[in-house]
């Protein structure tokens, strides 16, 4: 038994944000039917390298547990085929440019089904921002994320993955599940709308609240934290290591291991606020000690004492770490190894039933 067994999703989405949402719902047991443009399919089918055999790993990363059907929405026959699919669906998900589904007569209002949960995802909403292109990089720029990421104000940096798309997909899952819960209780569906910009503003949490509550406009701080120290990357003999010291007790233990116990009572560093104010001096003093040993030594020495730290891993080492902790970070479908769904449910676990569909399927 799966959590969403019996739920049918008509998936008109492409690229990343919405396909990530529908894959998550598919993992939870929903039947997901992905609608694709005939002969071309989802744009990400051509987004490579890298490839797995002849398929783009980008597409494969967000489209398992789905079947695919090719429908030409520009034709009346295609639109009728889409309406037949929606007629048996509990949920519709789409992330076309606002107004596109209305043009096809397939928007929430035109369908007129009171029990339908209909999720629309856009870049900047369906109002004044409807004509703006909703690309993750663009939203990271105009939404403020790049202004707090990178070494300094003249070198804005995007995150190394399309994080806004992923966050929007997760928020879409929450909205869809809430709407399904309401429908179970009342029989009524509803329209669920998300846009990348406001998802990003919400997801910037403390940075956003610093502005709305205190008028603070943050600037990039590299790997440092605006409110915690030491909380950044430090050099060692062989590779960088992260220290994420969240309280005074952890700081005292760190100073003891580094054989500089006097720093814990130094007026510049006694409290977290003191350390944040004097972070440059603190960095130099700690770096001098951390440079004397390899990263693994500090990891093995500090971790048992409750001092959060760890080497800066590449993805290969990150997967190896998860494996060593018995977290089972991968899932296998046939001969294909994919990233596992991180949600663990004790009664209705996620399942991996279908490999990402090929276009001809």
């Amino acid at each position: 038994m799966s959590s969403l067994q019996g739920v049918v999703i008509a998936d008109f989405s492409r690229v990343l944000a919405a396909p990530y949402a529908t894959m998550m719902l598919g993992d939870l047991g929903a039947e997901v039917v992905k609608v694709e443009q005939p002969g071309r399919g989802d744009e990400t089918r051509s987004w490579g390298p890298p490839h797995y055999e002849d398929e783009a790993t980008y597409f494969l990363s967000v489209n398992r547990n789905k079947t695919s059907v090719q429908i030409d929405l520009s034709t009346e026959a295609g639109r009728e085929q889409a309406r037949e699919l929606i007629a048996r669906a509990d949920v519709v998900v789409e992330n076309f440019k606002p107004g596109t589904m209305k043009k096809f007569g397939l928007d929430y209002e035109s369908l007129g089904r009171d029990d339908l949960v209909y999720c629309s995802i856009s870049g900047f909403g369906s109002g004044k921002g409807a004509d703006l292109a909703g690309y993750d990089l663009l939203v990271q720029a105009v939404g403020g994320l790049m202004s707090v990421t990178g070494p300094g104000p003249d070198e804005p940096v995007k995150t190394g993955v399309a994080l806004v798309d992923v966050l929007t997909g997760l928020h879409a899952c929450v909205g869809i599940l809430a709407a399904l819960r309401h429908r179970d209780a009342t029989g009524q569906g509803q329209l669920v709308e998300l846009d990348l910009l406001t998802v990003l503003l919400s997801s910037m949490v403390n940075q956003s609240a610093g502005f709305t509550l205190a008028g603070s406009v943050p600037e990039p701080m590299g790997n440092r934290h605006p409110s915690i120290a030491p909380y950044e990357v430090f050099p060692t003999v062989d590779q960088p290591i992260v220290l994420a010291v969240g309280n005074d007790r952890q700081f005292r233990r760190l100073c003891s291991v580094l054989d500089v116990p006097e720093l814990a009572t130094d007026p510049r560093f006694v409290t977290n606020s003191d350390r944040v104010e004097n972070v440059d001096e603190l960095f130099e003093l700690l770096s001098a000690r951390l440079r004397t040993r390899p990263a693994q030594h500090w990891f093995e020495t500090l971790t048992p004492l409750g001092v959060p730290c760890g080497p800066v891993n590449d993805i290969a080492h990150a997967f190896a770490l998860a494996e060593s902790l018995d977290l089972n970070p991968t899932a296998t479908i046939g001969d294909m190894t994919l990233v596992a769904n991180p949600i663990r449910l004790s009664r209705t676990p996620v399942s991996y039933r279908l490999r990402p569909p090929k276009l001809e399927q």
Side-chain angles (χ1 to χ4, degrees):
M1 179 70 178
S2 298
S3 301
L4 297 182
Q5 185 173 332
V7 173
V8 177
I9 298 176
D11 181 8
F12 292 83
S13 69
R14 335 93 63 217
V15 189
L16 180 53
Y20 187 82
T22 54
M23 180 183 73
M24 297 290 281
L25 298 171
D27 290 351
L28 293 169
E31 177 190 345
V32 181
V33 182
K34 183 178 180 69
V35 176
E36 299 192 70
Q37 182 178 341
R40 176 186 172 190
D42 190 313
E43 292 98 308
T44 61
R45 287 186 180 276
S46 64
W47 286 10
H51 292 90
Y52 172 79
E53 297 179 351
D54 62 343
E55 299 176 85
T57 60
Y58 198 119
F59 175 84
L60 300 177
S61 71
V62 289
N63 284 291
R64 67 170 171 250
N65 283 332
K66 304 177 186 181
T67 57
S68 174
V69 59
Q70 298 182 59
I71 297 179
D72 185 353
L73 297 177
S74 68
T75 69
E76 180 52 43
R79 292 190 290 273
E80 180 57 32
Q81 189 179 356
R83 284 190 286 269
E84 291 173 359
L85 170 60
I86 294 171
R88 72 177 189 89
D90 302 280
V91 181
V92 170
V93 179
E94 65 91 12
N95 63 341
F96 287 111
K97 181 180 178 180
T100 300
M101 290 295 270
K102 184 175 183 178
K103 179 179 68 175
F104 296 143
L106 299 174
D107 59 307
Y108 178 69
E109 290 78 12
S110 298
L111 291 170
R113 265 187 57 192
D114 194 49
D115 64 337
L116 182 65
V117 173
Y118 192 109
C119 179
S120 289
I121 298 176
S122 65
F124 298 91
S126 57
K128 293 181 178 179
D131 291 332
L132 300 178
Y135 285 92
D136 183 278
L137 175 62
L138 174 61
V139 178
Q140 287 196 38
V142 302
L145 183 56
M146 290 176 68
S147 78
V148 299
T149 307
D154 297 325
E155 300 176 73
V157 175
K158 71 176 181 65
T159 59
V161 69
L163 187 63
V164 184
D165 278 337
V166 174
L167 289 167
T168 303
L170 291 174
H171 280 77
C173 282
V174 173
I176 290 167
L177 292 174
L180 285 172
R181 175 68 181 89
H182 176 263
R183 193 194 67 168
D184 289 345
T186 67
Q188 295 180 318
Q190 60 186 297
L191 177 63
V192 180
E193 293 183 284
L194 300 101
D195 67 87
L196 273 63
L197 178 57
T198 56
V199 166
L200 173 57
L201 293 175
S202 172
S203 299
M204 288 174 69
V205 287
N206 59 301
Q207 299 282 38
S208 291
F211 169 71
T212 63
L213 295 172
S216 173
V217 178
E219 294 182 351
M221 302 179 64
N223 291 310
R224 288 179 176 170
H225 194 285
S227 307
I228 308 172
Y231 196 97
E232 59 181 297
V233 178
F234 289 86
T236 69
V237 163
D238 55 355
Q239 70 179 108
I241 193 171
V242 159
L243 291 179
V245 176
N247 57 55
D248 298 338
R249 183 182 66 256
Q250 292 173 354
F251 182 66
R252 289 192 295 270
R253 291 175 180 172
L254 170 67
C255 293
S256 177
V257 171
L258 296 184
D259 198 26
V260 283
E262 67 276 8
L263 293 186
T265 56
D266 188 313
R268 296 174 295 173
F269 311 129
V270 172
T271 70
N272 177 69
S273 295
D274 295 329
R275 295 191 291 275
V276 171
E277 186 174 345
N278 298 286
V279 67
D280 289 331
E281 298 95 319
L282 181 62
F283 176 82
E284 294 302 326
L285 290 167
L286 295 180
S287 294
R289 297 299 304 156
L290 290 164
R291 285 192 181 99
T292 64
R293 296 290 185 91
Q296 190 64 26
H297 167 81
W298 296 123
F299 176 64
E300 294 174 355
T301 305
L302 291 168
T303 298
L305 297 177
V307 179
C309 70
V312 179
N313 286 332
D314 59 22
I315 285 184
H317 286 93
F319 271 92
L321 174 61
E323 291 282 5
S324 73
L325 299 174
D326 296 327
L327 294 178
N328 303 317
T330 61
T332 301
I333 306 177
D335 61 353
M336 183 177 290
T337 301
L338 295 167
V339 183
N341 188 309
I343 299 172
R344 298 178 179 87
L345 297 170
S346 62
R347 293 188 183 276
T348 55
V350 301
S351 60
Y352 307 100
R353 306 174 306 281
L354 300 171
R355 57 108 61 214
K358 293 191 175 182
L359 190 58
E360 65 268 23
Q361 289 181 249

